[in-house]
């Protein structure tokens, strides 16, 4: 007869039951925002485009057009965009407050570790299962958002440009990468603080730092295009501008003049023959999205590493505490006296 195998707790099922409200809430959020973006890509975009067609056909005379459809598309598009941009912070606050912080504060994690679940396995499941859900949900939402944005491009005059800050990050994989970074940041904050409220705040702040770093470095992650124009033509139109200045008559580059009088401006422009602009055109959209996502995922990997290092430090401290023998007990044991 073979010895019976020890019962291994089903960690994933336990995790899902413990955080059932968050699972239902995230699923509901994804369903509602996905439905909204499907409507934005279909009937809402069509109605707004028809409203703008009516407006453009008016000319200079008075006429009627469907202004409500135009405003409706604009408002609901902004709502969907803001939800996607705020999602990484929602994930970070939940991960810090509930996923690790509250479990450590209430002792649920310690109880799990005494029920045959190793601390490493406990943390691995708490990172892997939410990461799968977050990546799937945000991946679907940013794809639908890009589809909704594309439905209005060239048809709706008030549609956001591709380089708009909020649209850019909601329109591509950087949304999913930032959500994963928020998950890792929140989990790390919970392991460091082991308290709900400080972990919630710290997780959101770390996520904001990652998003800010990505935004600052994003224009420099892909080679720019330089456009030279005359002084009458002005600078470049649509795009992410990285550097702009004047082209000197000698061929060098000059900074844009910061002059307080018209005479000073005339003197500065007299030395120039045109403008130069280093920028990213629309053709750089996907290269910028992919390189920025790769950068965010690299930072996320460092945050995950920090989670496991913080866990090792925490469990090492607990193990040391458990094995400390009080001084009076040690004296009694050493002398053979009854304890």
């Amino acid at each position: 007869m073979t010895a019976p195998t020890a019962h291994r707790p089903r960690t994933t099922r336990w995790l899902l039951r413990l955080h059932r409200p968050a699972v239902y809430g995230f699923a509901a959020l994804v369903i509602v925002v996905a439905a909204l973006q499907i409507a934005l890509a279909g009937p809402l975009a069509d109605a707004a485009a028809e409203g703008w067609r009516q407006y453009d056909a008016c000319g200079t005379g008075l006429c009627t057009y469907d202004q409500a459809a135009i405003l409706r598309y604009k408002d609901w598009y902004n709502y969907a965009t803001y939800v996607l941009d705020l999602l990484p912070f929602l994930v970070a606050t939940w991960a810090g407050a509930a996923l690790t912080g509250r479990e450590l504060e209430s002792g649920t994690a310690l109880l799990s570790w005494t029920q045959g679940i190793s601390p490493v396995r406990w943390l691995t499941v708490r990172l892997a299962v939410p990461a799968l859900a977050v990546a799937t949900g945000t991946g679907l939402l940013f794809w639908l958002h890009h589809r909704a944005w594309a439905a209005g491009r060239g048809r709706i005059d008030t549609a956001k440009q591709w380089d708009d800050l909020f649209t850019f990050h909601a329109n591509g994989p950087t949304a999913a990468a930032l959500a994963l970074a928020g998950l890792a940041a929140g989990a790390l904050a919970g392991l460091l603080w082991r308290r709900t409220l400080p972990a919630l705040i710290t997780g959101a702040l770390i996520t904001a730092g990652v998003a800010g770093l990505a935004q600052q470095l994003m224009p420099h992650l892909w080679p720019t295009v330089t456009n030279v124009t005359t002084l009458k033509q002005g600078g470049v139109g649509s795009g992410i501008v990285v550097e702009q200045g004047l082209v000197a008559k000698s061929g060098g580059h000059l900074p844009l003049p910061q002059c307080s009088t018209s005479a000073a401006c005339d003197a500065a422009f007299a030395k120039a023959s045109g403008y130069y602009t280093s920028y990213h055109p629309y053709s750089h959209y996907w290269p910028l999205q992919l390189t920025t996502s790769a950068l965010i995922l690299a930072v996320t990997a460092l945050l995950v590493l920090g989670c496991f290092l913080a866990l090792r430090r925490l469990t090492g401290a607990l193990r040391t505490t458990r094995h400390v023998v009080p001084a009076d007990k040690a004296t009694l044991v050493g002398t053979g006296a009854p304890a």
Side-chain angles (χ1 to χ4, degrees), residues 15 19 94-104 122 126-127 130 183 187:
L15 174 67
H19 297 281
W94 169 77
L99 187 63
T100 54
R102 188 175 64 187
E103 291 198 30
L104 289 168
W122 173 86
R126 270 152 184 75
L127 290 176
L183 175 65

Side-chain angles (χ1 to χ4, degrees), residues 56-63:
D56 294 336
C58 290
T60 57
L62 296 177
C63 62

